[in-house]
Amino acid sequence: MNTPGPNLPLLATAANCAGRTFVITGANTGLGYQATKHLVTLGAARVIIAVRNLPAGEKAKKEIEAATGRTGVIDVWDIDLESYDSVKAFAKRAATDLDRIDALVQNAGVFLTTNVRSGEHHLAVKVNVFSTFLLTVLLLPKLRDTAGKFGVVPHVSILASSMGFYSKEEWDSVKEDPLVKVDAETENIMKIYPITKIIDILLVRHLAPMMPVASTGVVMNAICPGLCGTELSRHASPEFAAVLAKRMALFGRTAEEGSRCLLHGMFAGTESHGRFLESCRIAEDDLPAWLTGEEGMTAQERCGEALVKELESVEPGCLKKILE
């Protein structure tokens, strides 16, 4: 259950924001918007709002500039996580145009209640998993360079969720090969979002040991912001929206409160590498035993294999570059 927002610490400070560059996907609204507002307020040199809807991004930029009194900090860049070409173009632009990246926050995601496909994949799987980790892998060399040149510890934070922890029956139906099986799901569409978020957690746990902070200088973690008042479920059915509204009334957070969890992931210490974070704390003890035990490790390996296969087909050699 969420803890009240005012009790959540704000790890972002003027000391760790000033002069630094941050990239946040899906930052034109909700958690990403509020996190950007905090970063600008605290003196960030540059914040890249990575969005699919450029007019919405420009609107958010103007609003944050008006609220903070700071201009010339936010840049709105185009990225469409439904398109691998768009992800690759964004990563190339970032590598060329940015002198540093101090944190990459993978906040963008989709929650669908209908069976929408994008090429060979379910749209939620492509956006929430494949494109999210493609962008992570393509930007890791830049993050690694930032660590070496500026003596800082850049972070990659992947937005996850504990929603799937209460979906054991749904998990059991895909656990033999989670990423492949949920991608082929056509009947129980409502389970796809929570399962993709479980997969995000498993992939962070899978990749982190291959990229130790001692070698890369980069921390990678998975963040759960809790149930927040955002637009993520705007396409949900009226029935689901009603259930969500009741839960929000009981233990929901505002988007600003939830954004503190994103900022925690961006500035948590090296001990957060490969870990699951929730409510601004390392929350490994909250992971269900079926994710951390032998069954979970097998599922994790299968997810890793499926990810490698997909990313290598999209950008051959991309994983080798970050592991060498």
Side-chain angles (χ1 to χ4, degrees):
M1 181 179 293
N2 294 348
T3 55
N7 291 337
L8 297 176
L10 184 62
L11 253 61
T13 65
N16 57 27
C17 290
R20 299 188 181 185
T21 297
F22 305 95
V23 177
I24 306 181
T25 65
N28 59 290
T29 187
L31 305 178
Y33 176 99
Q34 294 295 336
T36 298
K37 191 174 180 181
H38 278 300
L39 294 171
V40 174
T41 299
L42 292 166
R46 199 169 184 186
V47 182
I48 307 300
I49 293 180
V51 296
R52 182 178 61 176
N53 185 332
L54 288 176
E58 291 293 342
K59 179 175 180 290
K61 172 183 175 179
K62 291 178 182 178
E63 291 174 354
I64 294 172
E65 287 179 340
T68 62
R70 295 192 68 211
T71 59
V73 177
I74 299 173
D75 287 319
V76 182
W77 287 15
D78 174 61
I79 188 170
D80 182 356
L81 295 179
E82 186 179 348
S83 165
Y84 290 146
D85 286 342
S86 178
V87 173
K88 290 193 286 185
F90 181 94
K92 184 177 180 179
R93 181 182 182 184
T96 302
D97 294 358
L98 300 179
D99 62 338
R100 61 192 290 169
I101 299 178
D102 292 274
L104 166 65
V105 181
Q106 298 273 28
N107 169 69
V110 295
F111 184 115
L112 300 173
T113 56
T114 56
N115 187 18
V116 181
R117 308 292 296 181
S118 175
E120 299 178 356
H121 303 293
H122 191 281
L123 179 60
V125 172
K126 189 171 187 179
V127 170
N128 298 349
V129 182
F130 287 135
S131 285
T132 290
F133 280 93
L134 175 62
L135 182 61
T136 296
V137 167
L138 294 179
L139 287 183
L140 268 167
K142 188 70 176 185
L143 290 153
R144 187 168 53 194
D145 288 347
T146 299
K149 290 179 181 178
F150 298 98
V152 296
V153 182
H155 285 55
V156 177
S157 292
I158 309 289
L159 198 72
S161 173
S162 60
M163 181 188 298
F165 299 173
Y166 311 100
S167 305
K168 180 63 163 64
E169 183 178 345
E170 289 81 358
W171 176 255
D172 284 344
S173 70
V174 302
K175 66 182 181 181
E176 292 180 2
D177 202 347
L179 192 44
V180 171
K181 286 184 175 292
V182 79
D183 198 14
E185 179 63 56
T186 58
E187 296 180 3
N188 189 358
I189 304 303
M190 292 298 293
K191 78 179 180 184
I192 293 179
Y193 177 81
I195 296 302
T196 62
K197 291 303 177 178
I198 287 178
I199 290 170
D200 285 341
I201 294 169
L202 291 180
L203 287 174
V204 167
R205 293 168 64 86
H206 181 73
L207 291 173
M210 302 179 188
M211 299 176 288
V213 181
S215 299
T216 66
V218 180
V219 168
M220 176 188 293
N221 51 44
I223 326 160
C224 174
L227 180 60
C228 302
T230 70
E231 299 179 8
L232 179 64
S233 60
R234 60 189 177 276
H235 300 304
S237 66
E239 295 79 12
F240 182 80
V243 171
L244 197 62
K246 290 181 180 179
R247 292 180 180 176
M248 276 295 300
L250 290 173
F251 46 81
R253 290 179 175 143
T254 66
E256 188 282 323
E257 291 165 355
S259 76
R260 292 172 178 243
C261 297
L262 267 65
L263 294 164
H264 174 259
M266 296 166 65
F267 297 107
T270 56
E271 67 274 10
S272 73
H273 185 58
R275 304 296 186 88
F276 171 68
L277 313 180
E278 186 171 23
S279 296
C280 297
R281 62 186 176 86
I282 295 176
E284 290 283 295
D285 289 345
D286 291 351
L287 295 173
W290 44 268
L291 280 185
T292 59
E294 183 177 349
E295 176 183 302
M297 290 300 296
T298 298
Q300 183 175 303
E301 287 293 329
R302 293 281 190 274
C303 289
E305 292 167 3
L307 180 71
V308 168
K309 180 179 180 181
E310 183 70 8
L311 296 195
E312 286 298 310
S313 71
V314 173
E315 185 70 9
C318 65
L319 286 165
K320 182 180 179 181
K321 289 180 182 178
I322 66 170
L323 296 176
E324 62 187 13

